[in-house]
């Protein structure tokens, strides 16, 4: 696995924050649409992904998270590296491993956890990677912690675009 760090989003001390290991994916369907989750309560966008459970390997975690948040089975096709993000207001130091994945089979309804439903998670399929990136770049997020999460996932989307443009996928 590629362990390259993309960059730290904050320079604050991580000592007081709880470290959370996560897996995230830039998810395409067979027609090239890109899955993005609109977190309506906090006004930000994110890519499918979440925490790696105890004893779970990273590939199993991302496939589980994709299924839960998009309603799709998937195949991982590339790694995007790792990004660390300190989210001081939420007490978390997030270490996310990013992937590119393709949805396989039919799309079904997401299976959001209660806290995700309470935050207003809503899967949206953008017609292209560029449209998803443009939408997120133009989305103003007031909450500084939510803004950090959106910036984290925007970095993964841009890296996926780079890899696609360079023919690495």
């Amino acid at each position: 696995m590629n362990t390259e760090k993309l960059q730290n989003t904050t320079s604050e001390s991580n000592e007081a924050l709880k470290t959370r290991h996560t897996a995230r994916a830039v998810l395409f369907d067979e027609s090239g649409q890109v899955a993005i989750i609109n977190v309506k309560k906090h006004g930000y966008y994110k890519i499918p992904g979440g925490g790696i459970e105890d004893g779970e390997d990273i590939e199993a975690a991302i496939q589980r998270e994709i299924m839960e948040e998009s309603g799709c089975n998937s195949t991982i096709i590339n790694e995007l590296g790792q990004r660390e993000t300190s989210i001081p207001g939420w007490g978390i130091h997030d270490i996310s491993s990013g992937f590119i994945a393709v949805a396989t089979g039919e799309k079904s309804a997401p299976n959001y956890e209660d806290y995700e439903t309470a935050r207003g998670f809503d899967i949206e399929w953008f017609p292209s990677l560029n449209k998803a990136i443009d939408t997120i770049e133009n989305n103003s997020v007031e909450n500084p912690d939510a803004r950090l999460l959106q910036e984290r996932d925007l970095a993964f989307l841009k890296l996926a675009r780079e890899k696609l443009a360079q023919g690495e996928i």
Side-chain angles (χ1 to χ4, degrees), residues 73-138:
N73 286 311
S74 62
T75 300
I76 298 167
I77 60 171
N78 207 322
E79 297 176 22
L80 293 172
Q82 200 171 70
R83 183 170 176 89
E84 295 188 30
T85 308
S86 295
I87 310 158
W90 295 355
I92 298 170
H93 179 72
D94 178 89
I95 302 173
S96 288
S97 296
F99 298 89
I100 296 175
V102 174
T104 57
E106 293 187 28
K107 294 176 186 173
S108 56
N111 185 22
Y112 297 127
E113 295 185 34
D114 290 343
Y115 79 92
E116 294 168 331
T117 300
R119 291 180 180 167
F121 276 37
D122 185 30
I123 187 79
E124 296 180 14
W125 288 90
F126 285 79
S128 70
L129 183 55
N130 283 335
K131 180 65 175 164
I133 289 170
D134 289 345
T135 299
I136 294 168
E137 283 182 327
N138 291 306

Side-chain angles (χ1 to χ4, degrees), residues 8 15 22 26 28-29 45 49 52 60 65 67 70 79 92 94 102-103 105 109 111 113 124 130 132 134 143 166 169:
N8 286 326
E15 293 174 17
T22 64
V26 176
F28 294 91
D29 70 7
Y45 291 95
I52 300 170
E65 286 290 342
M67 173 54 84
S70 74
E79 297 176 22
I92 298 170
D94 178 89
V102 174
N111 185 22
E113 295 185 34
E124 296 180 14
N130 283 335
D134 289 345
N143 179 295
Q166 295 170 355
I169 298 174

Side-chain angles (χ1 to χ4, degrees), residues 4 8 11-12 17 19 21-22 28 38 40 57 101 116 126 135 147 150 160-161:
E4 165 194 357
N8 286 326
S11 59
E12 297 190 25
L17 303 177
T19 298
H21 293 274
T22 64
F28 294 91
N38 184 346
K40 293 179 178 179
D57 72 44
E116 294 168 331
F126 285 79
T135 299
R147 186 178 322 113
Q150 181 170 278
R161 180 171 62 188

Side-chain angles (χ1 to χ4, degrees), residues 9 68 147:
T9 341
E68 290 173 2
R147 186 178 322 113

Side-chain angles (χ1 to χ4, degrees), residues 52-70:
I52 300 170
E53 297 176 358
D54 289 340
E56 185 176 40
D57 72 44
I58 197 164
E59 287 83 9
I62 191 53
Q63 289 180 320
R64 176 184 51 76
E65 286 290 342
I66 288 171
M67 173 54 84
E68 290 173 2
E69 293 188 355
S70 74

